[in-house]
Amino acid sequence: MFDKVVIVGAGLIGGSFALGLKAAGAVRTVVGLERSPQALARALELGIVDEAATDPGAALAGADLVLVAAPVAQTAAILASLLPHLDAHTIVTDAGSTKSDVVAAARAVLGERIGQFVPGHPIAGRESNGPDAAIPDLYRGKKVVLSALPENDGAVVARVAEAWRRCGAIIHMLSAKEHDRVFAAVSHLPHLLAYALVDDIAKKPHAELLFQYAASGFRDFTRIAGSSPEMWRDISLANRDALLGELDAYVAQLSNLRTHLAAGDGPALEAVYANAQRARCAWIEAIEAAEPPPNADQESGK
């Protein structure tokens, strides 16, 4: 499907994309373009990339597709480094967890060539990072959101979608604004809460004792606090307005729970817990059910 794919950031996300394409026989050559020489060498050693490059010009020559898999705050600088070497046929996409800021950066940098950029976000990950965390089946059965732009040719979007499909992903379409509003609630806020809880306990004078008795419930709730602080700092700031709205709503919910608890209102507490249990069970059943292949209407966002 692709003669040459360039991965900017050959860690968990970019590396897994490369391995997924390779496993599907969908790419002839993968070139890694990485800011860390150590990570680049490791990606080459693990067979994630076939060639290692530190110069964008050498990396992009003849490239069909470029995936930018780096912290979202770096998007503008990365695209600026790529632009002088971008062939007319080369498609650029990204894997950032926010989209409005990425689109704004891409418009500012790429200008009239914005049609070559297709914003994307794979809904998959692990708490570990770097090339050693990359696996070929990370995206199998997982959603990938594409936030296609008005300037994107349909064939360009379809080509990016097919690349993700070859990795086993299921394609969904959301506008950048809708994407950020949704993920502020179901991804960005949970990460903020996990980080906050672990940080709070770590700062207590008897933290060592608390961590000694923390068990599976604490581990499961805080698993995502093991993610990259740099990446989640950028995501939190990039989606600040939507995240603040979700945080305010959550603070209000905590205030209500505190009121019920202080009043010893068991029925009110149980009602909140029961509603949450029902909602979570329904969600688990939905995600565990085999999701049918999306039809044309679903993929067009209709």
Side-chain angles (χ1 to χ4, degrees):
M1 179 180 178
F2 296 102
D3 185 57
K4 182 178 180 179
V5 171
V6 177
I7 306 295
V8 184
L12 168 65
I13 299 301
S16 295
F17 181 73
L19 290 175
L21 288 178
K22 286 188 168 194
V27 61
R28 179 173 289 110
T29 303
V30 176
V31 178
L33 183 61
E34 171 68 59
R35 65 177 179 173
S36 166
Q38 294 81 11
L40 195 55
R42 185 58 176 156
L44 192 60
E45 180 183 357
L46 293 171
I48 294 172
V49 301
D50 305 302
E51 299 175 14
T54 56
D55 173 51
L60 265 66
D64 301 306
L65 178 68
V66 179
L67 172 69
V68 177
V72 290
Q74 298 176 20
T75 301
I78 290 172
L79 291 178
S81 72
L82 301 180
L83 181 58
H85 316 288
L86 199 60
D87 290 343
H89 80 282
T90 305
I91 302 168
V92 182
T93 188
D94 81 303
S97 295
T98 54
K99 292 274 72 78
S100 296
D101 61 313
V102 167
V103 170
R107 288 192 181 282
V109 172
L110 299 179
E112 63 182 13
R113 302 187 68 179
I114 186 64
Q116 290 178 244
F117 180 75
V118 180
H121 177 203
I123 316 305
R126 308 167 75 188
E127 60 270 28
S128 49
N129 304 291
D132 287 280
I135 53 176
D137 60 349
L138 180 66
Y139 305 114
R140 187 157 300 283
K142 301 295 175 35
K143 298 179 180 68
V144 169
V145 175
L146 297 183
S147 297
L149 304 175
E151 295 89 347
N152 291 144
D153 185 274
V156 169
V157 177
R159 196 145 164 79
V160 174
E162 186 59 24
W164 285 111
R165 283 197 202 92
R166 295 296 184 96
C167 294
I170 301 162
I171 306 301
H172 287 247
M173 305 295 285
L174 291 173
S175 70
K177 184 176 181 179
E178 187 177 18
H179 169 281
D180 290 352
R181 186 170 61 247
V182 167
F183 284 93
V186 299
S187 176
H188 306 165
L189 178 65
H191 278 81
L192 184 150
L193 299 178
Y195 283 122
L197 177 60
V198 178
D199 181 62
D200 178 62
I201 291 179
K203 289 178 177 176
K204 294 182 184 297
H206 57 311
E208 185 176 349
L209 178 65
L210 296 177
F211 282 125
Q212 179 181 348
Y213 290 100
S216 58
F218 181 84
R219 179 198 63 208
D220 293 345
F221 184 82
T222 63
R223 176 185 62 82
I224 51 180
S227 303
S228 166
E230 177 190 18
M231 179 179 75
W232 282 99
R233 173 204 65 198
D234 290 350
I235 291 169
S236 299
L237 293 174
N239 204 21
R240 179 175 57 185
D241 291 344
L243 183 54
L244 283 171
E246 294 299 331
L247 184 57
D248 288 344
Y250 193 80
V251 168
Q253 171 75 321
L254 290 180
S255 179
N256 288 335
L257 285 172
R258 191 187 190 286
T259 298
H260 299 328
L261 186 61
D265 191 344
L269 285 173
E270 184 178 358
V272 174
Y273 296 168
N275 184 56
Q277 182 195 46
R278 284 191 298 270
R280 189 179 190 280
C281 288
W283 169 67
I284 290 293
E285 289 176 4
I287 64 172
E288 288 184 347
E291 185 169 356
N295 58 38
D297 285 346
Q298 287 174 312
E299 292 205 356
S300 65
K302 295 179 182 178

